[in-house]
Amino acid sequence: MTRTAVYPGTFDPITLGHMDIIRRGAKLVDCLVIGVTTNPSKSPMFSLEERLAMVRREIADIPGDIKVVAFDSLLMDFAEREGASMILRGLRAVADFEYEYQMAGMNQQINAEIETVFLMADVSLQPIASRLVKEIAMYGGDISKFVPPVVAAEVGARVDAIGRKGS
Ligand code: ADP
């Protein structure tokens, strides 16, 4: 039986933390489906198409059977459609725990056949969050330690277009 996992997220933008989780996850399963949500409630900096292109480009060199798919439905429906038996989530700190715990618990009740599995990124990458990357960039800070080089350039260009804060 092929073991498939879905790794869902907004990836606005994809960070080195996400990539570390993807690398680890891809080793655990036969097929990893990265699910990129539309998530309009988060008013993303990058459009769905831009985020899909970014993720596809950045994971191209990661070994394993990995595909990148957009979704705009209930996560458990998406996972079922993809034939997944696992939802992969990254866990950072205590702050993530509360939300993830609740979501995993509710998803368990929606579909008990699909397990949520949590992975931890490398210690050095754990504090990275897309939200903070955008905030640092908005204030003209250096984000090259947190995202791949091309993503850093894309965030920089987007911030220039929107207009930096504090300038
Ligand atoms: P969401 O909007 O679903 O939180 P994100 O793109 O912010 O989407 O994150 C997707 C997943 O990756 C989440 O499970 C999140 O906890 C995890 N993640 C993000 N950054 C890191 C990191 N630095 N280390 C470990 N997990 C992470």
Side-chain angles (χ1 to χ4, degrees):
M1 198 186 88
T2 338
R3 191 183 292 275
T4 300
V6 161
Y7 177 45
T10 314
F11 305 103
D12 184 48
I14 186 166
T15 68
L16 297 181
H18 291 130
M19 286 172 66
D20 189 73
I21 297 290
I22 293 166
R23 222 171 257 120
R24 287 168 199 273
K27 284 192 211 150
L28 300 177
V29 294
D30 302 304
C31 177
L32 182 65
V33 180
I34 304 174
V36 182
T37 57
T38 45
N39 213 343
S41 65
K42 277 196 172 178
S43 351
M45 174 179 262
F46 294 97
S47 71
L48 177 65
E49 287 66 33
E50 288 169 329
R51 285 179 282 131
L52 283 168
M54 251 183 213
V55 175
R56 289 200 176 111
R57 184 190 66 224
E58 297 303 336
I59 59 114
D61 291 337
I62 299 181
D65 181 4
I66 310 176
K67 59 176 185 167
V68 184
V69 180
F71 81 103
D72 186 19
S73 61
L74 205 57
L75 173 59
M76 294 318 249
D77 290 343
F78 173 63
E80 236 175 83
R81 261 197 324 273
E82 291 296 329
S85 55
M86 251 189 250
I87 303 291
L88 202 67
R89 295 289 287 174
L91 207 53
R92 281 168 291 201
V94 190
D96 273 353
F97 181 77
E98 183 93 31
Y99 172 69
E100 296 289 344
Y101 167 83
Q102 208 169 12
M103 202 164 75
M106 290 190 72
N107 282 335
Q108 215 174 61
Q109 301 206 23
I110 296 173
N111 187 337
E113 301 300 313
I114 300 179
E115 292 295 341
T116 303
V117 175
F118 295 101
L119 294 181
M120 272 161 57
D122 185 89
V123 182
S124 64
L125 303 173
Q126 280 183 24
I128 304 175
S130 300
R131 183 177 59 81
L132 294 175
V133 163
K134 286 179 280 188
E135 211 164 297
I136 294 168
M138 288 295 262
Y139 285 100
D142 178 13
I143 55 168
S144 61
K145 282 202 178 83
F146 313 128
V147 293
V150 183
V151 173
E154 285 165 332
V155 173
R158 187 56 50 96
V159 163
D160 283 340
I162 304 169
R164 276 179 218 281
K165 289 186 183 169
S167 58

